[in-house]
PDB file of all heavy atoms in Angstrom:
ATOM      1  N   ILE A  19      20.191-159.825-139.136  1.00  0.00           N
ATOM      2  CA  ILE A  19      20.053-159.801-140.547  1.00  0.00           C
ATOM      3  C   ILE A  19      20.908-160.979-141.125  1.00  0.00           C
ATOM      4  O   ILE A  19      22.052-161.111-140.623  1.00  0.00           O
ATOM      5  CB  ILE A  19      20.434-158.478-141.209  1.00  0.00           C
ATOM      6  CG1 ILE A  19      20.127-158.492-142.728  1.00  0.00           C
ATOM      7  CG2 ILE A  19      21.875-158.129-140.961  1.00  0.00           C
ATOM      8  CD1 ILE A  19      20.342-157.160-143.355  1.00  0.00           C
ATOM      9  N   GLU A  20      20.363-161.757-141.947  1.00  0.00           N
ATOM     10  CA  GLU A  20      21.136-162.756-142.650  1.00  0.00           C
ATOM     11  C   GLU A  20      21.518-162.111-143.978  1.00  0.00           C
ATOM     12  O   GLU A  20      20.649-161.796-144.792  1.00  0.00           O
ATOM     13  CB  GLU A  20      20.321-164.016-142.880  1.00  0.00           C
ATOM     14  CG  GLU A  20      21.144-165.172-143.429  1.00  0.00           C
ATOM     15  CD  GLU A  20      20.317-166.451-143.531  1.00  0.00           C
ATOM     16  OE1 GLU A  20      20.088-167.062-142.484  1.00  0.00           O
ATOM     17  OE2 GLU A  20      19.985-166.774-144.692  1.00  0.00           O
ATOM     18  N   TYR A  21      22.763-161.965-144.195  1.00  0.00           N
ATOM     19  CA  TYR A  21      23.315-161.225-145.339  1.00  0.00           C
ATOM     20  C   TYR A  21      24.240-162.162-146.168  1.00  0.00           C
ATOM     21  O   TYR A  21      25.180-162.674-145.618  1.00  0.00           O
ATOM     22  CB  TYR A  21      24.139-160.033-144.800  1.00  0.00           C
ATOM     23  CG  TYR A  21      24.260-158.831-145.651  1.00  0.00           C
ATOM     24  CD1 TYR A  21      23.238-158.371-146.500  1.00  0.00           C
ATOM     25  CD2 TYR A  21      25.442-158.118-145.618  1.00  0.00           C
ATOM     26  CE1 TYR A  21      23.359-157.233-147.264  1.00  0.00           C
ATOM     27  CE2 TYR A  21      25.600-156.972-146.384  1.00  0.00           C
ATOM     28  CZ  TYR A  21      24.612-156.508-147.210  1.00  0.00           C
ATOM     29  OH  TYR A  21      24.764-155.418-147.926  1.00  0.00           O
ATOM     30  N   ARG A  22      23.875-162.377-147.404  1.00  0.00           N
ATOM     31  CA  ARG A  22      24.660-163.337-148.205  1.00  0.00           C
ATOM     32  C   ARG A  22      24.726-162.818-149.657  1.00  0.00           C
ATOM     33  O   ARG A  22      23.968-162.044-150.087  1.00  0.00           O
ATOM     34  CB  ARG A  22      24.086-164.757-148.184  1.00  0.00           C
ATOM     35  CG  ARG A  22      22.712-164.849-148.809  1.00  0.00           C
ATOM     36  CD  ARG A  22      22.133-166.216-148.667  1.00  0.00           C
ATOM     37  NE  ARG A  22      20.775-166.261-149.184  1.00  0.00           N
ATOM     38  CZ  ARG A  22      20.371-166.556-150.408  1.00  0.00           C
ATOM     39  NH1 ARG A  22      21.293-166.773-151.357  1.00  0.00           N
ATOM     40  NH2 ARG A  22      19.124-166.599-150.732  1.00  0.00           N
ATOM     41  N   GLY A  23      25.739-163.371-150.339  1.00  0.00           N
ATOM     42  CA  GLY A  23      25.858-163.009-151.770  1.00  0.00           C
ATOM     43  C   GLY A  23      27.243-163.332-152.353  1.00  0.00           C
ATOM     44  O   GLY A  23      28.006-164.115-151.820  1.00  0.00           O
ATOM     45  N   TYR A  24      27.450-162.647-153.464  1.00  0.00           N
ATOM     46  CA  TYR A  24      28.725-162.853-154.151  1.00  0.00           C
ATOM     47  C   TYR A  24      29.128-161.529-154.895  1.00  0.00           C
ATOM     48  O   TYR A  24      28.275-160.666-155.102  1.00  0.00           O
ATOM     49  CB  TYR A  24      28.609-163.993-155.198  1.00  0.00           C
ATOM     50  CG  TYR A  24      27.533-163.731-156.210  1.00  0.00           C
ATOM     51  CD1 TYR A  24      27.824-163.064-157.450  1.00  0.00           C
ATOM     52  CD2 TYR A  24      26.243-164.171-155.994  1.00  0.00           C
ATOM     53  CE1 TYR A  24      26.816-162.852-158.355  1.00  0.00           C
ATOM     54  CE2 TYR A  24      25.210-163.981-156.930  1.00  0.00           C
ATOM     55  CZ  TYR A  24      25.534-163.323-158.134  1.00  0.00           C
ATOM     56  OH  TYR A  24      24.553-163.084-159.026  1.00  0.00           O
ATOM     57  N   PHE A  25      30.401-161.425-155.194  1.00  0.00           N
ATOM     58  CA  PHE A  25      30.867-160.211-155.914  1.00  0.00           C
ATOM     59  C   PHE A  25      32.258-160.600-156.503  1.00  0.00           C
ATOM     60  O   PHE A  25      32.875-161.507-156.080  1.00  0.00           O
ATOM     61  CB  PHE A  25      30.974-158.983-155.001  1.00  0.00           C
ATOM     62  CG  PHE A  25      31.958-159.102-153.895  1.00  0.00           C
ATOM     63  CD1 PHE A  25      33.263-158.762-154.046  1.00  0.00           C
ATOM     64  CD2 PHE A  25      31.550-159.619-152.646  1.00  0.00           C
ATOM     65  CE1 PHE A  25      34.201-158.868-153.018  1.00  0.00           C
ATOM     66  CE2 PHE A  25      32.484-159.723-151.594  1.00  0.00           C
ATOM     67  CZ  PHE A  25      33.781-159.359-151.754  1.00  0.00           C
ATOM     68  N   VAL A  26      32.652-159.745-157.444  1.00  0.00           N
ATOM     69  CA  VAL A  26      34.002-159.858-158.057  1.00  0.00           C
ATOM     70  C   VAL A  26      34.693-158.522-157.835  1.00  0.00           C
ATOM     71  O   VAL A  26      34.157-157.418-158.101  1.00  0.00           O
ATOM     72  CB  VAL A  26      33.939-160.146-159.570  1.00  0.00           C
ATOM     73  CG1 VAL A  26      35.344-160.145-160.167  1.00  0.00           C
ATOM     74  CG2 VAL A  26      33.244-161.505-159.775  1.00  0.00           C
ATOM     75  N   SER A  27      35.892-158.551-157.221  1.00  0.00           N
ATOM     76  CA  SER A  27      36.595-157.300-156.879  1.00  0.00           C
ATOM     77  C   SER A  27      37.041-156.588-158.148  1.00  0.00           C
ATOM     78  O   SER A  27      37.303-157.159-159.199  1.00  0.00           O
ATOM     79  CB  SER A  27      37.825-157.664-156.047  1.00  0.00           C
ATOM     80  OG  SER A  27      38.714-158.489-156.738  1.00  0.00           O
ATOM     81  N   GLY A  28      37.173-155.257-157.990  1.00  0.00           N
ATOM     82  CA  GLY A  28      37.700-154.400-159.047  1.00  0.00           C
ATOM     83  C   GLY A  28      39.169-154.186-158.758  1.00  0.00           C
ATOM     84  O   GLY A  28      39.812-155.097-158.201  1.00  0.00           O
ATOM     85  N   THR A  29      39.701-153.034-159.175  1.00  0.00           N
ATOM     86  CA  THR A  29      41.128-152.701-158.847  1.00  0.00           C
ATOM     87  C   THR A  29      41.238-152.338-157.345  1.00  0.00           C
ATOM     88  O   THR A  29      40.721-151.293-156.963  1.00  0.00           O
ATOM     89  CB  THR A  29      41.535-151.513-159.710  1.00  0.00           C
ATOM     90  OG1 THR A  29      41.357-151.914-161.075  1.00  0.00           O
ATOM     91  CG2 THR A  29      42.964-151.205-159.491  1.00  0.00           C
ATOM     92  N   VAL A  30      41.887-153.179-156.642  1.00  0.00           N
ATOM     93  CA  VAL A  30      41.958-153.036-155.169  1.00  0.00           C
ATOM     94  C   VAL A  30      42.854-151.860-154.810  1.00  0.00           C
ATOM     95  O   VAL A  30      43.781-151.505-155.534  1.00  0.00           O
ATOM     96  CB  VAL A  30      42.393-154.353-154.457  1.00  0.00           C
ATOM     97  CG1 VAL A  30      41.385-155.373-154.664  1.00  0.00           C
ATOM     98  CG2 VAL A  30      43.786-154.746-154.982  1.00  0.00           C
ATOM     99  N   THR A  31      42.608-151.289-153.631  1.00  0.00           N
ATOM    100  CA  THR A  31      43.430-150.140-153.126  1.00  0.00           C
ATOM    101  C   THR A  31      43.862-150.416-151.670  1.00  0.00           C
ATOM    102  O   THR A  31      43.421-151.343-151.048  1.00  0.00           O
ATOM    103  CB  THR A  31      42.566-148.829-153.126  1.00  0.00           C
ATOM    104  OG1 THR A  31      41.445-148.998-152.355  1.00  0.00           O
ATOM    105  CG2 THR A  31      42.183-148.478-154.554  1.00  0.00           C
ATOM    106  N   ALA A  32      44.786-149.625-151.183  1.00  0.00           N
ATOM    107  CA  ALA A  32      45.325-149.798-149.856  1.00  0.00           C
ATOM    108  C   ALA A  32      44.525-149.079-148.803  1.00  0.00           C
ATOM    109  O   ALA A  32      45.108-148.308-147.966  1.00  0.00           O
ATOM    110  CB  ALA A  32      46.807-149.380-149.892  1.00  0.00           C
ATOM    111  N   VAL A  33      43.215-149.294-148.780  1.00  0.00           N
ATOM    112  CA  VAL A  33      42.344-148.818-147.730  1.00  0.00           C
ATOM    113  C   VAL A  33      41.592-150.066-147.189  1.00  0.00           C
ATOM    114  O   VAL A  33      41.502-151.095-147.901  1.00  0.00           O
ATOM    115  CB  VAL A  33      41.394-147.691-148.180  1.00  0.00           C
ATOM    116  CG1 VAL A  33      42.142-146.461-148.621  1.00  0.00           C
ATOM    117  CG2 VAL A  33      40.454-148.225-149.254  1.00  0.00           C
ATOM    118  N   THR A  34      41.052-149.942-146.001  1.00  0.00           N
ATOM    119  CA  THR A  34      40.367-151.084-145.339  1.00  0.00           C
ATOM    120  C   THR A  34      39.271-151.614-146.268  1.00  0.00           C
ATOM    121  O   THR A  34      38.390-150.914-146.771  1.00  0.00           O
ATOM    122  CB  THR A  34      39.753-150.666-144.032  1.00  0.00           C
ATOM    123  OG1 THR A  34      40.862-150.165-143.177  1.00  0.00           O
ATOM    124  CG2 THR A  34      39.091-151.801-143.333  1.00  0.00           C
ATOM    125  N   ALA A  35      39.258-152.955-146.526  1.00  0.00           N
ATOM    126  CA  ALA A  35      38.269-153.623-147.332  1.00  0.00           C
ATOM    127  C   ALA A  35      36.999-153.761-146.513  1.00  0.00           C
ATOM    128  O   ALA A  35      37.013-154.329-145.423  1.00  0.00           O
ATOM    129  CB  ALA A  35      38.789-154.992-147.776  1.00  0.00           C
ATOM    130  N   SER A  36      35.895-153.298-147.050  1.00  0.00           N
ATOM    131  CA  SER A  36      34.626-153.359-146.351  1.00  0.00           C
ATOM    132  C   SER A  36      33.449-153.217-147.334  1.00  0.00           C
ATOM    133  O   SER A  36      33.621-152.837-148.462  1.00  0.00           O
ATOM    134  CB  SER A  36      34.559-152.232-145.251  1.00  0.00           C
ATOM    135  OG  SER A  36      34.473-150.986-145.868  1.00  0.00           O
ATOM    136  N   MET A  37      32.259-153.545-146.771  1.00  0.00           N
ATOM    137  CA  MET A  37      31.054-153.270-147.479  1.00  0.00           C
ATOM    138  C   MET A  37      29.992-152.832-146.429  1.00  0.00           C
ATOM    139  O   MET A  37      30.045-153.220-145.278  1.00  0.00           O
ATOM    140  CB  MET A  37      30.563-154.538-148.223  1.00  0.00           C
ATOM    141  CG  MET A  37      30.055-155.671-147.427  1.00  0.00           C
ATOM    142  SD  MET A  37      29.518-156.998-148.525  1.00  0.00           S
ATOM    143  CE  MET A  37      29.167-158.221-147.332  1.00  0.00           C
ATOM    144  N   THR A  38      28.983-152.099-146.946  1.00  0.00           N
ATOM    145  CA  THR A  38      27.971-151.571-146.075  1.00  0.00           C
ATOM    146  C   THR A  38      26.790-152.599-145.902  1.00  0.00           C
ATOM    147  O   THR A  38      26.559-153.432-146.775  1.00  0.00           O
ATOM    148  CB  THR A  38      27.368-150.236-146.622  1.00  0.00           C
ATOM    149  OG1 THR A  38      26.853-150.483-147.914  1.00  0.00           O
ATOM    150  CG2 THR A  38      28.427-149.182-146.670  1.00  0.00           C
ATOM    151  N   LEU A  39      26.106-152.426-144.811  1.00  0.00           N
ATOM    152  CA  LEU A  39      24.851-153.098-144.537  1.00  0.00           C
ATOM    153  C   LEU A  39      23.737-152.380-145.366  1.00  0.00           C
ATOM    154  O   LEU A  39      23.985-151.231-145.800  1.00  0.00           O
ATOM    155  CB  LEU A  39      24.521-153.118-143.059  1.00  0.00           C
ATOM    156  CG  LEU A  39      25.414-153.944-142.198  1.00  0.00           C
ATOM    157  CD1 LEU A  39      25.106-153.653-140.707  1.00  0.00           C
ATOM    158  CD2 LEU A  39      25.281-155.400-142.492  1.00  0.00           C
ATOM    159  N   PRO A  40      22.577-152.958-145.477  1.00  0.00           N
ATOM    160  CA  PRO A  40      21.500-152.196-146.142  1.00  0.00           C
ATOM    161  C   PRO A  40      21.184-150.882-145.441  1.00  0.00           C
ATOM    162  O   PRO A  40      21.442-150.746-144.226  1.00  0.00           O
ATOM    163  CB  PRO A  40      20.314-153.170-145.966  1.00  0.00           C
ATOM    164  CG  PRO A  40      20.903-154.505-145.945  1.00  0.00           C
ATOM    165  CD  PRO A  40      22.201-154.333-145.164  1.00  0.00           C
ATOM    166  N   ALA A  41      20.745-149.921-146.192  1.00  0.00           N
ATOM    167  CA  ALA A  41      20.466-148.520-145.722  1.00  0.00           C
ATOM    168  C   ALA A  41      19.684-148.527-144.445  1.00  0.00           C
ATOM    169  O   ALA A  41      18.700-149.202-144.316  1.00  0.00           O
ATOM    170  CB  ALA A  41      19.815-147.687-146.826  1.00  0.00           C
ATOM    171  N   GLY A  42      20.132-147.733-143.460  1.00  0.00           N
ATOM    172  CA  GLY A  42      19.403-147.533-142.233  1.00  0.00           C
ATOM    173  C   GLY A  42      19.688-148.525-141.151  1.00  0.00           C
ATOM    174  O   GLY A  42      19.200-148.380-140.070  1.00  0.00           O
ATOM    175  N   LEU A  43      20.457-149.593-141.417  1.00  0.00           N
ATOM    176  CA  LEU A  43      20.753-150.574-140.414  1.00  0.00           C
ATOM    177  C   LEU A  43      22.098-150.382-139.788  1.00  0.00           C
ATOM    178  O   LEU A  43      23.112-150.067-140.508  1.00  0.00           O
ATOM    179  CB  LEU A  43      20.699-151.993-141.023  1.00  0.00           C
ATOM    180  CG  LEU A  43      19.380-152.388-141.702  1.00  0.00           C
ATOM    181  CD1 LEU A  43      19.409-153.815-142.150  1.00  0.00           C
ATOM    182  CD2 LEU A  43      18.228-152.228-140.726  1.00  0.00           C
ATOM    183  N   LEU A  44      22.163-150.500-138.508  1.00  0.00           N
ATOM    184  CA  LEU A  44      23.419-150.328-137.781  1.00  0.00           C
ATOM    185  C   LEU A  44      23.589-151.537-136.803  1.00  0.00           C
ATOM    186  O   LEU A  44      22.668-152.149-136.319  1.00  0.00           O
ATOM    187  CB  LEU A  44      23.388-149.050-136.900  1.00  0.00           C
ATOM    188  CG  LEU A  44      23.307-147.752-137.592  1.00  0.00           C
ATOM    189  CD1 LEU A  44      23.189-146.606-136.546  1.00  0.00           C
ATOM    190  CD2 LEU A  44      24.515-147.521-138.447  1.00  0.00           C
ATOM    191  N   THR A  45      24.855-151.864-136.547  1.00  0.00           N
ATOM    192  CA  THR A  45      25.086-152.883-135.538  1.00  0.00           C
ATOM    193  C   THR A  45      24.890-152.276-134.143  1.00  0.00           C
ATOM    194  O   THR A  45      24.928-151.053-133.991  1.00  0.00           O
ATOM    195  CB  THR A  45      26.620-153.365-135.598  1.00  0.00           C
ATOM    196  OG1 THR A  45      27.477-152.227-135.374  1.00  0.00           O
ATOM    197  CG2 THR A  45      26.880-153.966-136.968  1.00  0.00           C
ATOM    198  N   PRO A  46      24.588-153.085-133.167  1.00  0.00           N
ATOM    199  CA  PRO A  46      24.329-152.589-131.828  1.00  0.00           C
ATOM    200  C   PRO A  46      25.633-152.217-131.119  1.00  0.00           C
ATOM    201  O   PRO A  46      26.690-152.413-131.685  1.00  0.00           O
ATOM    202  CB  PRO A  46      23.674-153.766-131.086  1.00  0.00           C
ATOM    203  CG  PRO A  46      24.143-154.965-131.767  1.00  0.00           C
ATOM    204  CD  PRO A  46      24.404-154.538-133.209  1.00  0.00           C
ATOM    205  N   THR A  47      25.490-151.638-129.958  1.00  0.00           N
ATOM    206  CA  THR A  47      26.706-151.469-129.114  1.00  0.00           C
ATOM    207  C   THR A  47      27.174-152.839-128.684  1.00  0.00           C
ATOM    208  O   THR A  47      26.470-153.622-128.120  1.00  0.00           O
ATOM    209  CB  THR A  47      26.354-150.594-127.880  1.00  0.00           C
ATOM    210  OG1 THR A  47      25.874-149.327-128.336  1.00  0.00           O
ATOM    211  CG2 THR A  47      27.572-150.380-127.012  1.00  0.00           C
ATOM    212  N   LEU A  48      28.428-153.141-129.091  1.00  0.00           N
ATOM    213  CA  LEU A  48      29.007-154.432-128.824  1.00  0.00           C
ATOM    214  C   LEU A  48      29.936-154.360-127.641  1.00  0.00           C
ATOM    215  O   LEU A  48      30.615-153.441-127.428  1.00  0.00           O
ATOM    216  CB  LEU A  48      29.772-154.854-130.058  1.00  0.00           C
ATOM    217  CG  LEU A  48      28.910-154.950-131.344  1.00  0.00           C
ATOM    218  CD1 LEU A  48      29.817-155.108-132.508  1.00  0.00           C
ATOM    219  CD2 LEU A  48      27.929-156.092-131.245  1.00  0.00           C
ATOM    220  N   PRO A  49      29.876-155.378-126.700  1.00  0.00           N
ATOM    221  CA  PRO A  49      30.643-155.398-125.547  1.00  0.00           C
ATOM    222  C   PRO A  49      32.154-155.463-125.748  1.00  0.00           C
ATOM    223  O   PRO A  49      32.941-154.871-124.966  1.00  0.00           O
ATOM    224  CB  PRO A  49      30.149-156.596-124.765  1.00  0.00           C
ATOM    225  CG  PRO A  49      29.564-157.520-125.833  1.00  0.00           C
ATOM    226  CD  PRO A  49      29.061-156.631-126.872  1.00  0.00           C
ATOM    227  N   ASN A  50      32.570-156.140-126.749  1.00  0.00           N
ATOM    228  CA  ASN A  50      34.015-156.262-127.083  1.00  0.00           C
ATOM    229  C   ASN A  50      34.198-155.968-128.542  1.00  0.00           C
ATOM    230  O   ASN A  50      33.390-156.426-129.351  1.00  0.00           O
ATOM    231  CB  ASN A  50      34.527-157.675-126.782  1.00  0.00           C
ATOM    232  CG  ASN A  50      34.420-158.018-125.320  1.00  0.00           C
ATOM    233  OD1 ASN A  50      34.929-157.335-124.463  1.00  0.00           O
ATOM    234  ND2 ASN A  50      33.690-159.101-125.010  1.00  0.00           N
ATOM    235  N   GLN A  51      35.193-155.170-128.837  1.00  0.00           N
ATOM    236  CA  GLN A  51      35.444-154.838-130.217  1.00  0.00           C
ATOM    237  C   GLN A  51      36.856-155.267-130.611  1.00  0.00           C
ATOM    238  O   GLN A  51      37.706-155.176-129.757  1.00  0.00           O
ATOM    239  CB  GLN A  51      35.296-153.330-130.437  1.00  0.00           C
ATOM    240  CG  GLN A  51      33.872-152.876-130.223  1.00  0.00           C
ATOM    241  CD  GLN A  51      33.741-151.426-130.687  1.00  0.00           C
ATOM    242  OE1 GLN A  51      34.017-151.074-131.840  1.00  0.00           O
ATOM    243  NE2 GLN A  51      33.262-150.577-129.805  1.00  0.00           N
ATOM    244  N   PRO A  52      37.129-155.650-131.822  1.00  0.00           N
ATOM    245  CA  PRO A  52      36.147-155.965-132.839  1.00  0.00           C
ATOM    246  C   PRO A  52      35.394-157.253-132.562  1.00  0.00           C
ATOM    247  O   PRO A  52      35.902-158.073-131.833  1.00  0.00           O
ATOM    248  CB  PRO A  52      36.983-156.006-134.152  1.00  0.00           C
ATOM    249  CG  PRO A  52      38.336-156.498-133.672  1.00  0.00           C
ATOM    250  CD  PRO A  52      38.508-155.891-132.238  1.00  0.00           C
ATOM    251  N   TRP A  53      34.286-157.411-133.199  1.00  0.00           N
ATOM    252  CA  TRP A  53      33.475-158.619-133.029  1.00  0.00           C
ATOM    253  C   TRP A  53      33.291-159.301-134.372  1.00  0.00           C
ATOM    254  O   TRP A  53      32.960-158.639-135.401  1.00  0.00           O
ATOM    255  CB  TRP A  53      32.129-158.166-132.499  1.00  0.00           C
ATOM    256  CG  TRP A  53      31.172-159.281-132.164  1.00  0.00           C
ATOM    257  CD1 TRP A  53      31.191-160.039-131.040  1.00  0.00           C
ATOM    258  CD2 TRP A  53      30.036-159.735-132.916  1.00  0.00           C
ATOM    259  NE1 TRP A  53      30.166-160.939-131.043  1.00  0.00           N
ATOM    260  CE2 TRP A  53      29.416-160.748-132.159  1.00  0.00           C
ATOM    261  CE3 TRP A  53      29.478-159.346-134.093  1.00  0.00           C
ATOM    262  CZ2 TRP A  53      28.304-161.424-132.645  1.00  0.00           C
ATOM    263  CZ3 TRP A  53      28.363-159.973-134.561  1.00  0.00           C
ATOM    264  CH2 TRP A  53      27.782-161.006-133.833  1.00  0.00           C
ATOM    265  N   THR A  54      33.556-160.627-134.422  1.00  0.00           N
ATOM    266  CA  THR A  54      33.443-161.334-135.676  1.00  0.00           C
ATOM    267  C   THR A  54      32.007-161.604-136.003  1.00  0.00           C
ATOM    268  O   THR A  54      31.280-162.089-135.093  1.00  0.00           O
ATOM    269  CB  THR A  54      34.263-162.608-135.647  1.00  0.00           C
ATOM    270  OG1 THR A  54      35.650-162.294-135.366  1.00  0.00           O
ATOM    271  CG2 THR A  54      34.190-163.356-136.956  1.00  0.00           C
ATOM    272  N   ALA A  55      31.523-161.257-137.160  1.00  0.00           N
ATOM    273  CA  ALA A  55      30.198-161.509-137.537  1.00  0.00           C
ATOM    274  C   ALA A  55      30.011-162.993-137.687  1.00  0.00           C
ATOM    275  O   ALA A  55      30.699-163.671-138.473  1.00  0.00           O
ATOM    276  CB  ALA A  55      29.903-160.814-138.933  1.00  0.00           C
ATOM    277  N   GLY A  56      29.125-163.584-136.926  1.00  0.00           N
ATOM    278  CA  GLY A  56      28.997-164.982-136.936  1.00  0.00           C
ATOM    279  C   GLY A  56      27.582-165.431-136.727  1.00  0.00           C
ATOM    280  O   GLY A  56      26.837-164.821-136.098  1.00  0.00           O
ATOM    281  N   PRO A  57      27.224-166.596-137.230  1.00  0.00           N
ATOM    282  CA  PRO A  57      28.154-167.404-138.054  1.00  0.00           C
ATOM    283  C   PRO A  57      28.386-166.700-139.364  1.00  0.00           C
ATOM    284  O   PRO A  57      27.447-166.065-139.899  1.00  0.00           O
ATOM    285  CB  PRO A  57      27.407-168.734-138.292  1.00  0.00           C
ATOM    286  CG  PRO A  57      25.971-168.369-138.073  1.00  0.00           C
ATOM    287  CD  PRO A  57      25.925-167.298-137.112  1.00  0.00           C
ATOM    288  N   GLY A  58      29.556-166.712-139.874  1.00  0.00           N
ATOM    289  CA  GLY A  58      29.827-165.997-141.109  1.00  0.00           C
ATOM    290  C   GLY A  58      31.153-166.298-141.701  1.00  0.00           C
ATOM    291  O   GLY A  58      32.016-166.836-141.037  1.00  0.00           O
ATOM    292  N   TRP A  59      31.303-166.062-142.989  1.00  0.00           N
ATOM    293  CA  TRP A  59      32.514-166.288-143.699  1.00  0.00           C
ATOM    294  C   TRP A  59      32.542-165.545-145.021  1.00  0.00           C
ATOM    295  O   TRP A  59      31.486-165.146-145.537  1.00  0.00           O
ATOM    296  CB  TRP A  59      32.752-167.782-143.895  1.00  0.00           C
ATOM    297  CG  TRP A  59      31.508-168.498-144.480  1.00  0.00           C
ATOM    298  CD1 TRP A  59      30.644-169.237-143.719  1.00  0.00           C
ATOM    299  CD2 TRP A  59      31.064-168.505-145.807  1.00  0.00           C
ATOM    300  NE1 TRP A  59      29.623-169.703-144.546  1.00  0.00           N
ATOM    301  CE2 TRP A  59      29.852-169.313-145.810  1.00  0.00           C
ATOM    302  CE3 TRP A  59      31.451-167.941-147.008  1.00  0.00           C
ATOM    303  CZ2 TRP A  59      29.085-169.494-146.933  1.00  0.00           C
ATOM    304  CZ3 TRP A  59      30.703-168.206-148.133  1.00  0.00           C
ATOM    305  CH2 TRP A  59      29.541-168.991-148.111  1.00  0.00           C
ATOM    306  N   ILE A  60      33.732-165.293-145.512  1.00  0.00           N
ATOM    307  CA  ILE A  60      33.963-164.755-146.829  1.00  0.00           C
ATOM    308  C   ILE A  60      34.945-165.727-147.496  1.00  0.00           C
ATOM    309  O   ILE A  60      35.975-165.979-146.853  1.00  0.00           O
ATOM    310  CB  ILE A  60      34.518-163.377-146.823  1.00  0.00           C
ATOM    311  CG1 ILE A  60      33.722-162.456-145.918  1.00  0.00           C
ATOM    312  CG2 ILE A  60      34.703-162.802-148.209  1.00  0.00           C
ATOM    313  CD1 ILE A  60      34.485-161.205-145.576  1.00  0.00           C
ATOM    314  N   THR A  61      34.743-166.212-148.636  1.00  0.00           N
ATOM    315  CA  THR A  61      35.692-167.116-149.278  1.00  0.00           C
ATOM    316  C   THR A  61      35.785-166.813-150.802  1.00  0.00           C
ATOM    317  O   THR A  61      34.804-166.397-151.382  1.00  0.00           O
ATOM    318  CB  THR A  61      35.346-168.567-149.058  1.00  0.00           C
ATOM    319  OG1 THR A  61      36.354-169.425-149.539  1.00  0.00           O
ATOM    320  CG2 THR A  61      34.005-168.965-149.681  1.00  0.00           C
ATOM    321  N   ALA A  62      36.994-166.996-151.299  1.00  0.00           N
ATOM    322  CA  ALA A  62      37.177-166.832-152.768  1.00  0.00           C
ATOM    323  C   ALA A  62      36.464-167.950-153.467  1.00  0.00           C
ATOM    324  O   ALA A  62      36.288-169.049-152.961  1.00  0.00           O
ATOM    325  CB  ALA A  62      38.667-166.852-153.086  1.00  0.00           C
TER     326      ALA A  62
END
């Protein structure tokens, strides 16, 4: 899945920062964890 977009953060909290994939989609079993989503990036 090619997943792209933009957002503006709200009031941040001290829990792991994350976002979900579209409903019903899961990553496969990965040989090494954690695995960097690539090619990919998040930038301010």
Side-chain angles (χ1 to χ4, degrees):
I19 184 172
E20 186 176 288
Y21 205 38
R22 65 183 173 90
Y24 59 89
F25 64 90
V26 175
S27 62
T29 302
V30 296
T31 59
V33 298
T34 302
S36 66
M37 71 178 174
T38 58
L39 293 171
L43 301 183
L44 296 175
T45 60
T47 300
L48 302 168
N50 297 305
Q51 294 189 56
W53 185 78
T54 302
W59 46 262
I60 308 165
T61 187

